[in-house]
Amino acid sequence: MVVPTARSRCEDERITAFGMLLEAHAAVTSVVNRELEATAGMPITWFELLIRLSRSPEQRLRMSELAGQVGLSHSGLTRLVDRVIEAGFVQREACPDDRRGAFAVLTPAGGAALDSALDGHLESIDRHLVTPLGPEGLARLTDLLRTLRDASPTGASPSSACPTGPSPA
Amino acid sequence: MVVPTARSRCEDERITAFGMLLEAHAAVTSVVNRELEATAGMPITWFELLIRLSRSPEQRLRMSELAGQVGLSHSGLTRLVDRVIEAGFVQREACPDDRRGAFAVLTPAGGAALDSALDGHLESIDRHLVTPLGPEGLARLTDLLRTLRDASPTGASPSSACPTGPSPA
DNA sequence: GTGCAACCGTTGTACCTGCAACCACTCTAG
DNA sequence: CTAGAGTGGTTGCAGGTACAACGGTTGCAC
Protein backbone atom coordinates (compact mmCIF):
# COMPACT_ATOMS: atom_id res chain seq x y z
CA MET A 1 0.00 0.00 0.00
CA VAL A 2 2.44 2.59 -1.16
CA VAL A 3 1.17 6.10 -1.75
CA PRO A 4 2.00 7.01 -5.33
CA THR A 5 4.43 9.89 -5.49
CA ALA A 6 4.42 12.40 -8.28
CA ARG A 7 7.61 10.84 -9.48
CA SER A 8 6.24 7.33 -9.65
CA ARG A 9 3.07 8.49 -11.29
CA CYS A 10 5.10 10.13 -14.04
CA GLU A 11 6.31 6.70 -15.03
CA ASP A 12 2.73 5.52 -15.40
CA GLU A 13 2.22 3.40 -18.47
CA ARG A 14 -0.72 5.56 -19.45
CA ILE A 15 1.48 8.62 -19.63
CA THR A 16 3.93 6.60 -21.66
CA ALA A 17 1.26 5.44 -24.06
CA PHE A 18 -0.02 8.93 -24.60
CA GLY A 19 3.47 10.33 -25.04
CA MET A 20 4.18 7.64 -27.55
CA LEU A 21 1.14 8.65 -29.57
CA LEU A 22 2.45 12.19 -29.68
CA GLU A 23 5.99 11.20 -30.54
CA ALA A 24 5.16 8.63 -33.17
CA HIS A 25 2.70 10.95 -34.83
CA ALA A 26 5.16 13.83 -34.82
CA ALA A 27 7.98 11.68 -36.12
CA VAL A 28 6.04 10.00 -38.92
CA THR A 29 4.03 12.98 -40.14
CA SER A 30 6.97 15.36 -40.17
CA VAL A 31 8.98 13.08 -42.42
CA VAL A 32 6.09 12.10 -44.65
CA ASN A 33 4.99 15.70 -44.93
CA ARG A 34 8.48 16.80 -45.89
CA GLU A 35 8.70 14.10 -48.53
CA LEU A 36 5.29 14.85 -49.97
CA GLU A 37 6.14 18.51 -50.15
CA ALA A 38 9.33 17.62 -51.99
CA THR A 39 7.85 15.16 -54.48
CA ALA A 40 4.43 16.69 -55.05
CA GLY A 41 4.84 20.28 -53.88
CA MET A 42 1.79 19.81 -51.71
CA PRO A 43 1.38 19.83 -47.93
CA ILE A 44 -0.16 16.82 -46.27
CA THR A 45 -3.31 18.75 -45.42
CA TRP A 46 -3.99 19.35 -49.09
CA PHE A 47 -3.50 15.71 -49.89
CA GLU A 48 -5.85 14.59 -47.16
CA LEU A 49 -8.44 17.10 -48.30
CA LEU A 50 -8.24 16.00 -51.92
CA ILE A 51 -8.38 12.31 -51.16
CA ARG A 52 -11.50 12.70 -49.04
CA LEU A 53 -13.18 14.47 -51.90
CA SER A 54 -12.04 11.91 -54.43
CA ARG A 55 -13.55 9.13 -52.38
CA SER A 56 -16.89 10.84 -51.95
CA PRO A 57 -19.86 10.52 -54.26
CA GLU A 58 -19.61 13.05 -57.07
CA GLN A 59 -16.26 14.16 -55.69
CA ARG A 60 -17.96 16.61 -53.38
CA LEU A 61 -18.49 17.09 -49.65
CA ARG A 62 -20.18 19.61 -47.42
CA MET A 63 -17.81 21.93 -45.61
CA SER A 64 -18.76 20.69 -42.17
CA GLU A 65 -18.40 17.06 -43.13
CA LEU A 66 -15.02 17.78 -44.63
CA ALA A 67 -13.93 19.65 -41.54
CA GLY A 68 -14.80 16.66 -39.43
CA GLN A 69 -12.95 14.26 -41.66
CA VAL A 70 -9.72 16.20 -41.85
CA GLY A 71 -9.93 17.15 -38.19
CA LEU A 72 -10.02 20.91 -38.60
CA SER A 73 -12.25 23.59 -37.14
CA HIS A 74 -14.79 25.22 -39.41
CA SER A 75 -12.72 28.34 -39.77
CA GLY A 76 -9.59 26.33 -40.36
CA LEU A 77 -11.27 24.45 -43.14
CA THR A 78 -12.59 27.63 -44.74
CA ARG A 79 -9.06 29.01 -45.05
CA LEU A 80 -7.65 25.70 -46.23
CA VAL A 81 -10.29 25.40 -48.94
CA ASP A 82 -9.55 29.00 -49.92
CA ARG A 83 -5.92 28.11 -50.54
CA VAL A 84 -6.72 24.92 -52.43
CA ILE A 85 -9.24 26.77 -54.58
CA GLU A 86 -6.58 29.32 -55.38
CA ALA A 87 -4.47 26.45 -56.70
CA GLY A 88 -7.42 25.34 -58.86
CA PHE A 89 -7.79 21.91 -57.27
CA VAL A 90 -11.22 22.51 -55.77
CA GLN A 91 -14.19 24.73 -56.36
CA ARG A 92 -17.03 25.90 -54.18
CA GLU A 93 -20.58 25.10 -55.14
CA ALA A 94 -23.83 26.21 -53.55
CA CYS A 95 -26.01 23.59 -51.94
CA PRO A 96 -29.43 23.59 -53.62
CA ASP A 97 -31.23 22.05 -50.65
CA ASP A 98 -29.83 24.33 -47.99
CA ARG A 99 -28.89 27.83 -48.94
CA ARG A 100 -26.64 28.13 -45.92
CA GLY A 101 -24.49 25.26 -47.02
CA ALA A 102 -21.67 24.92 -49.49
CA PHE A 103 -19.95 22.06 -51.24
CA ALA A 104 -16.27 21.67 -51.89
CA VAL A 105 -15.92 19.92 -55.23
CA LEU A 106 -12.82 18.30 -56.66
CA THR A 107 -11.82 19.74 -60.04
CA PRO A 108 -10.18 17.71 -62.82
CA ALA A 109 -6.93 19.53 -62.03
CA GLY A 110 -7.32 18.49 -58.42
CA GLY A 111 -7.88 14.88 -59.41
CA ALA A 112 -4.80 14.99 -61.59
CA ALA A 113 -2.70 16.53 -58.84
CA LEU A 114 -3.86 13.88 -56.42
CA ASP A 115 -3.08 11.14 -58.88
CA SER A 116 0.41 12.37 -59.57
CA ALA A 117 1.12 12.77 -55.87
CA LEU A 118 -0.14 9.34 -54.98
CA ASP A 119 2.80 7.17 -56.03
CA GLY A 120 5.40 9.10 -54.14
CA HIS A 121 3.19 9.33 -51.12
CA LEU A 122 2.56 5.60 -51.07
CA GLU A 123 6.27 4.98 -51.28
CA SER A 124 6.81 7.38 -48.43
CA ILE A 125 4.23 5.65 -46.26
CA ASP A 126 5.80 2.35 -47.14
CA ARG A 127 9.15 3.51 -45.86
CA HIS A 128 7.98 5.07 -42.64
CA LEU A 129 4.93 3.07 -41.67
CA VAL A 130 4.72 -0.28 -43.40
CA THR A 131 8.33 -1.39 -43.40
CA PRO A 132 9.01 -0.78 -39.70
CA LEU A 133 5.77 -2.47 -38.65
CA GLY A 134 5.36 -5.24 -41.16
CA PRO A 135 2.02 -6.06 -42.77
CA GLU A 136 0.66 -7.69 -39.66
CA GLY A 137 1.69 -4.89 -37.36
CA LEU A 138 0.22 -2.38 -39.78
CA ALA A 139 -3.14 -4.11 -39.66
CA ARG A 140 -3.14 -4.25 -35.88
CA LEU A 141 -2.16 -0.59 -35.62
CA THR A 142 -4.89 0.45 -38.03
CA ASP A 143 -7.41 -1.46 -36.00
CA LEU A 144 -6.35 0.05 -32.69
CA LEU A 145 -6.32 3.55 -34.10
CA ARG A 146 -9.73 3.09 -35.64
CA THR A 147 -11.04 2.08 -32.26
CA LEU A 148 -9.61 5.23 -30.77
CA ARG A 149 -11.04 7.47 -33.42
CA ASP A 150 -14.49 5.94 -33.21
CA ALA A 151 -14.49 6.17 -29.43
CA SER A 152 -13.70 9.86 -29.52
CA PRO A 153 -16.53 12.33 -29.12
CA THR A 154 -14.80 14.56 -31.64
CA GLY A 155 -14.83 14.25 -35.39
CA ALA A 156 -16.93 12.35 -37.82
CA SER A 157 -19.14 9.67 -36.40
CA PRO A 158 -18.20 6.13 -37.40
CA SER A 159 -21.31 5.81 -39.52
CA SER A 160 -20.79 8.96 -41.56
CA ALA A 161 -19.48 8.75 -45.10
CA CYS A 162 -16.26 6.81 -45.39
CA PRO A 163 -13.79 8.45 -43.02
CA THR A 164 -10.65 6.76 -44.23
CA GLY A 165 -12.05 3.30 -44.46
CA PRO A 166 -15.45 2.30 -43.09
CA SER A 167 -14.10 -0.48 -40.94
CA PRO A 168 -13.57 -3.86 -42.51
CA ALA A 169 -15.01 -6.85 -40.71
CA MET B 1 -3.27 -8.37 -63.80
CA VAL B 2 -5.36 -5.28 -63.42
CA VAL B 3 -3.70 -1.91 -63.70
CA PRO B 4 -4.38 -0.03 -60.49
CA THR B 5 -6.51 3.01 -61.13
CA ALA B 6 -6.22 6.18 -59.09
CA ARG B 7 -9.52 5.31 -57.52
CA SER B 8 -8.49 1.85 -56.43
CA ARG B 9 -5.17 3.09 -55.14
CA CYS B 10 -6.97 5.59 -52.94
CA GLU B 11 -8.51 2.70 -51.08
CA ASP B 12 -5.07 1.26 -50.42
CA GLU B 13 -4.69 -0.03 -46.89
CA ARG B 14 -1.52 1.98 -46.49
CA ILE B 15 -3.40 5.19 -47.14
CA THR B 16 -6.00 4.05 -44.68
CA ALA B 17 -3.42 3.28 -42.02
CA PHE B 18 -1.78 6.65 -42.39
CA GLY B 19 -5.10 8.47 -42.39
CA MET B 20 -6.04 6.60 -39.26
CA LEU B 21 -2.88 7.79 -37.55
CA LEU B 22 -3.82 11.34 -38.39
CA GLU B 23 -7.43 11.00 -37.34
CA ALA B 24 -6.83 9.13 -34.13
CA HIS B 25 -4.12 11.54 -33.10
CA ALA B 26 -6.27 14.55 -33.89
CA ALA B 27 -9.28 13.12 -32.11
CA VAL B 28 -7.49 12.06 -28.95
CA THR B 29 -5.16 15.00 -28.54
CA SER B 30 -7.83 17.61 -29.17
CA VAL B 31 -10.05 16.21 -26.43
CA VAL B 32 -7.25 15.55 -23.99
CA ASN B 33 -5.80 18.97 -24.63
CA ARG B 34 -9.13 20.65 -24.06
CA GLU B 35 -9.61 18.78 -20.82
CA LEU B 36 -6.13 19.51 -19.56
CA GLU B 37 -6.59 23.16 -20.38
CA ALA B 38 -9.84 23.14 -18.41
CA THR B 39 -8.61 21.26 -15.35
CA ALA B 40 -5.05 22.53 -15.12
CA GLY B 41 -5.08 25.69 -17.20
CA MET B 42 -2.14 24.38 -19.11
CA PRO B 43 -1.74 23.36 -22.75
CA ILE B 44 -0.53 19.88 -23.53
CA THR B 45 2.81 21.19 -24.79
CA TRP B 46 3.56 22.65 -21.37
CA PHE B 47 2.68 19.42 -19.67
CA GLU B 48 4.90 17.40 -21.96
CA LEU B 49 7.73 19.85 -21.45
CA LEU B 50 7.43 19.75 -17.66
CA ILE B 51 7.17 16.00 -17.45
CA ARG B 52 10.33 15.50 -19.49
CA LEU B 53 12.18 17.77 -17.15
CA SER B 54 10.78 16.10 -14.06
CA ARG B 55 12.00 12.74 -15.30
CA SER B 56 15.49 13.94 -16.05
CA PRO B 57 18.42 13.92 -13.65
CA GLU B 58 18.42 17.11 -11.59
CA GLN B 59 15.21 18.14 -13.32
CA ARG B 60 17.17 19.72 -16.15
CA LEU B 61 17.75 19.17 -19.84
CA ARG B 62 19.71 20.85 -22.58
CA MET B 63 17.58 22.84 -25.01
CA SER B 64 18.42 20.64 -27.97
CA GLU B 65 17.68 17.45 -26.12
CA LEU B 66 14.38 18.87 -24.96
CA ALA B 67 13.48 19.97 -28.46
CA GLY B 68 14.04 16.45 -29.70
CA GLN B 69 11.94 14.91 -26.97
CA VAL B 70 8.93 17.16 -27.38
CA GLY B 71 9.23 17.09 -31.16
CA LEU B 72 9.73 20.79 -31.74
CA SER B 73 12.22 22.74 -33.80
CA HIS B 74 14.92 24.63 -31.95
CA SER B 75 13.19 27.93 -32.47
CA GLY B 76 9.87 26.50 -31.47
CA LEU B 77 11.34 25.23 -28.24
CA THR B 78 12.98 28.57 -27.50
CA ARG B 79 9.61 30.32 -27.66
CA LEU B 80 7.86 27.61 -25.69
CA VAL B 81 10.45 27.78 -22.93
CA ASP B 82 10.11 31.55 -22.93
CA ARG B 83 6.43 31.25 -22.18
CA VAL B 84 6.85 28.60 -19.52
CA ILE B 85 9.55 30.67 -17.86
CA GLU B 86 7.18 33.60 -17.81
CA ALA B 87 4.78 31.40 -15.85
CA GLY B 88 7.56 30.60 -13.42
CA PHE B 89 7.59 26.87 -14.05
CA VAL B 90 11.06 26.70 -15.54
CA GLN B 91 14.24 28.69 -15.47
CA ARG B 92 17.17 28.96 -17.79
CA GLU B 93 20.62 28.12 -16.54
CA ALA B 94 23.95 28.46 -18.26
CA CYS B 95 25.87 25.32 -19.06
CA PRO B 96 29.26 25.43 -17.32
CA ASP B 97 30.92 23.03 -19.74
CA ASP B 98 29.78 24.69 -22.93
CA ARG B 99 29.16 28.40 -22.87
CA ARG B 100 26.99 28.17 -25.97
CA GLY B 101 24.58 25.82 -24.29
CA ALA B 102 21.71 26.37 -21.91
CA PHE B 103 19.70 24.22 -19.55
CA ALA B 104 16.00 24.38 -18.93
CA VAL B 105 15.47 23.62 -15.25
CA LEU B 106 12.21 22.73 -13.56
CA THR B 107 11.38 25.09 -10.69
CA PRO B 108 9.52 24.04 -7.53
CA ALA B 109 6.49 25.89 -8.84
CA GLY B 110 6.77 23.92 -12.05
CA GLY B 111 6.95 20.67 -10.14
CA ALA B 112 3.89 21.64 -8.14
CA ALA B 113 1.98 22.62 -11.25
CA LEU B 114 2.85 19.34 -12.86
CA ASP B 115 1.81 17.42 -9.81
CA SER B 116 -1.54 19.12 -9.54
CA ALA B 117 -2.20 18.63 -13.24
CA LEU B 118 -1.31 14.97 -13.17
CA ASP B 119 -4.45 13.46 -11.66
CA GLY B 120 -6.85 15.09 -14.05
CA HIS B 121 -4.62 14.30 -16.97
CA LEU B 122 -4.38 10.64 -16.03
CA GLU B 123 -8.14 10.47 -15.74
CA SER B 124 -8.44 12.09 -19.13
CA ILE B 125 -6.08 9.61 -20.71
CA ASP B 126 -7.97 6.82 -19.03
CA ARG B 127 -11.19 7.96 -20.62
CA HIS B 128 -9.91 8.48 -24.12
CA LEU B 129 -7.07 6.01 -24.48
CA VAL B 130 -7.20 3.21 -21.93
CA THR B 131 -10.91 2.51 -21.69
CA PRO B 132 -11.56 2.20 -25.44
CA LEU B 133 -8.54 -0.02 -25.96
CA GLY B 134 -8.39 -2.09 -22.80
CA PRO B 135 -5.12 -2.78 -20.99
CA GLU B 136 -3.95 -5.30 -23.53
CA GLY B 137 -4.75 -3.10 -26.50
CA LEU B 138 -2.99 -0.23 -24.81
CA ALA B 139 0.17 -2.26 -24.42
CA ARG B 140 0.10 -3.38 -28.04
CA LEU B 141 -0.49 0.16 -29.25
CA THR B 142 2.37 1.51 -27.17
CA ASP B 143 4.64 -1.11 -28.58
CA LEU B 144 3.71 -0.42 -32.19
CA LEU B 145 4.06 3.32 -31.74
CA ARG B 146 7.43 2.93 -30.09
CA THR B 147 8.58 0.92 -33.06
CA LEU B 148 7.46 3.72 -35.34
CA ARG B 149 9.14 6.41 -33.34
CA ASP B 150 12.40 4.53 -33.11
CA ALA B 151 12.40 3.76 -36.82
CA SER B 152 11.99 7.41 -37.70
CA PRO B 153 15.06 9.38 -38.72
CA THR B 154 13.63 12.37 -36.87
CA GLY B 155 13.66 13.06 -33.20
CA ALA B 156 15.61 11.67 -30.30
CA SER B 157 17.49 8.50 -30.93
CA PRO B 158 16.20 5.48 -29.01
CA SER B 159 19.29 5.42 -26.87
CA SER B 160 19.12 9.01 -25.73
CA ALA B 161 17.86 9.86 -22.28
CA CYS B 162 14.45 8.40 -21.52
CA PRO B 163 12.14 9.64 -24.24
CA THR B 164 8.88 8.61 -22.67
CA GLY B 165 9.94 5.20 -21.61
CA PRO B 166 13.28 3.71 -22.61
CA SER B 167 11.74 0.64 -24.19
CA PRO B 168 11.06 -2.28 -21.90
CA ALA B 169 12.33 -5.68 -22.93
C1' DG C 1 -47.05 33.63 -39.83
C1' DT C 2 -44.18 35.19 -36.30
C1' DG C 3 -40.56 34.76 -33.08
C1' DC C 4 -36.68 32.45 -31.57
C1' DA C 5 -33.20 29.02 -31.13
C1' DA C 6 -30.04 26.36 -33.68
C1' DC C 7 -27.07 25.77 -37.52
C1' DC C 8 -23.68 26.68 -41.70
C1' DG C 9 -20.02 29.03 -43.18
C1' DT C 10 -16.98 33.29 -43.20
C1' DT C 11 -14.20 37.01 -41.13
C1' DG C 12 -11.24 39.53 -37.30
C1' DT C 13 -7.84 38.52 -34.20
C1' DA C 14 -4.27 36.33 -31.57
C1' DC C 15 -1.34 32.51 -30.91
C1' DC C 16 1.96 29.03 -32.12
C1' DT C 17 5.17 26.95 -35.22
C1' DG C 18 8.86 26.37 -38.71
C1' DC C 19 12.47 28.25 -41.80
C1' DA C 20 16.29 31.12 -42.63
C1' DA C 21 19.53 34.22 -40.95
C1' DC C 22 22.28 35.42 -37.22
C1' DC C 23 25.63 35.67 -33.07
C1' DA C 24 28.41 33.37 -29.79
C1' DC C 25 31.18 29.74 -28.84
C1' DT C 26 33.93 25.34 -29.69
C1' DC C 27 36.99 22.38 -32.15
C1' DT C 28 40.37 21.10 -35.48
C1' DA C 29 44.10 21.93 -38.80
C1' DG C 30 47.97 24.24 -39.96
C1' DC D 1 48.11 31.38 -32.28
C1' DT D 2 44.96 31.78 -35.94
C1' DA D 3 41.68 30.72 -39.57
C1' DG D 4 37.69 28.38 -40.73
C1' DA D 5 34.19 25.01 -40.28
C1' DG D 6 30.68 23.27 -37.23
C1' DT D 7 27.40 23.55 -33.31
C1' DG D 8 23.89 25.57 -29.76
C1' DG D 9 20.52 28.77 -29.23
C1' DT D 10 17.89 33.05 -30.36
C1' DT D 11 15.47 36.42 -33.46
C1' DG D 12 12.82 38.25 -37.93
C1' DC D 13 9.42 36.79 -40.58
C1' DA D 14 5.69 34.27 -42.86
C1' DG D 15 2.23 30.69 -42.73
C1' DG D 16 -1.46 28.04 -40.66
C1' DT D 17 -4.81 27.17 -36.90
C1' DA D 18 -8.36 27.99 -33.27
C1' DC D 19 -11.63 30.97 -30.79
C1' DA D 20 -15.10 34.39 -30.82
C1' DA D 21 -18.26 37.18 -33.20
C1' DC D 22 -21.07 37.91 -37.19
C1' DG D 23 -24.68 37.50 -41.31
C1' DG D 24 -27.62 34.51 -43.55
C1' DT D 25 -30.76 30.56 -43.38
C1' DT D 26 -33.58 26.94 -41.47
C1' DG D 27 -36.82 24.62 -38.43
C1' DC D 28 -39.75 24.45 -34.58
C1' DA D 29 -43.21 26.30 -31.21
C1' DC D 30 -47.01 28.82 -30.59
Side-chain angles (χ1 to χ4, degrees):
Chain A
M1 182 64 107
V2 182
V3 176
T5 64
R7 174 119 200 113
S8 74
R9 283 186 299 157
C10 288
E11 314 290 351
D12 193 294
E13 59 180 351
R14 293 167 289 178
I15 295 280
T16 301
F18 184 72
M20 213 51 79
L21 179 63
L22 295 184
E23 288 190 51
H25 171 267
V28 173
T29 56
S30 81
V31 189
V32 171
N33 189 28
R34 210 186 322 279
E35 291 184 357
L36 183 63
E37 193 98 45
T39 62
M42 181 190 293
I44 195 85
T45 48
W46 289 36
F47 184 90
E48 289 292 320
L49 175 76
L50 295 179
I51 204 167
R52 307 304 169 131
L53 291 178
S54 88
R55 289 208 278 222
S56 302
E58 300 189 55
Q59 272 76 57
R60 75 186 52 211
L61 235 36
R62 286 290 292 269
M63 296 293 282
S64 285
E65 177 63 29
L66 198 46
Q69 290 197 19
V70 301
L72 246 54
S73 67
H74 285 189
S75 69
L77 183 74
T78 294
R79 321 281 200 181
L80 174 59
V81 168
D82 284 345
R83 296 190 292 274
V84 181
I85 284 178
E86 184 123 23
F89 296 163
V90 163
Q91 62 188 45
R92 252 183 259 267
E93 226 167 274
C95 176
D97 300 332
D98 187 339
R99 285 164 58 191
R100 292 170 301 183
F103 282 111
V105 188
L106 189 68
T107 64
L114 179 61
D115 192 44
S116 79
L118 206 46
D119 284 325
H121 190 49
L122 278 173
E123 236 177 85
S124 184
I125 294 178
D126 256 340
R127 259 195 306 281
H128 305 293
L129 209 61
V130 182
T131 302
L133 259 35
E136 180 193 341
L138 185 74
R140 278 189 301 165
L141 179 69
T142 304
D143 225 46
L144 290 164
L145 292 175
R146 192 190 335 266
T147 303
L148 278 183
R149 182 204 59 180
D150 292 347
S152 165
T154 313
S157 54
S159 60
S160 74
C162 58
T164 311
S167 276
Chain B
M1 183 61 95
V2 182
V3 176
T5 64
R7 175 118 199 113
S8 73
R9 284 185 299 158
C10 288
E11 313 290 350
D12 193 292
E13 59 180 351
R14 292 168 288 178
I15 295 280
T16 301
F18 184 72
M20 212 52 79
L21 179 64
L22 296 183
E23 288 191 51
H25 171 268
V28 173
T29 56
S30 81
V31 189
V32 171
N33 189 29
R34 210 186 324 279
E35 291 185 356
L36 182 64
E37 193 99 44
T39 63
M42 180 190 294
I44 195 85
T45 48
W46 289 36
F47 184 90
E48 290 292 320
L49 175 72
L50 295 179
I51 205 166
R52 308 301 170 132
L53 291 178
S54 88
R55 288 208 277 223
S56 300
E58 300 189 58
Q59 273 75 57
R60 73 187 53 210
L61 236 36
R62 286 290 291 270
M63 295 294 281
S64 284
E65 177 64 27
L66 198 47
Q69 288 197 21
V70 301
L72 247 53
S73 67
H74 285 189
S75 69
L77 183 75
T78 295
R79 322 281 200 180
L80 174 59
V81 168
D82 285 344
R83 295 191 293 273
V84 180
I85 286 178
E86 184 122 23
F89 297 161
V90 162
Q91 61 188 47
R92 250 182 261 268
E93 226 167 275
C95 177
D97 301 332
D98 186 339
R99 285 165 59 193
R100 291 170 301 181
F103 282 111
V105 188
L106 190 67
T107 64
L114 180 61
D115 192 43
S116 79
L118 205 46
D119 284 325
H121 190 49
L122 278 173
E123 236 176 86
S124 184
I125 295 178
D126 256 340
R127 259 195 306 281
H128 304 293
L129 208 62
V130 182
T131 302
L133 259 37
E136 181 194 340
L138 185 74
R140 277 189 302 166
L141 179 70
T142 305
D143 225 46
L144 289 164
L145 291 176
R146 194 192 329 270
T147 303
L148 277 184
R149 182 203 58 181
D150 291 346
S152 165
T154 314
S157 55
S159 60
S160 74
C162 58
T164 311
S167 279

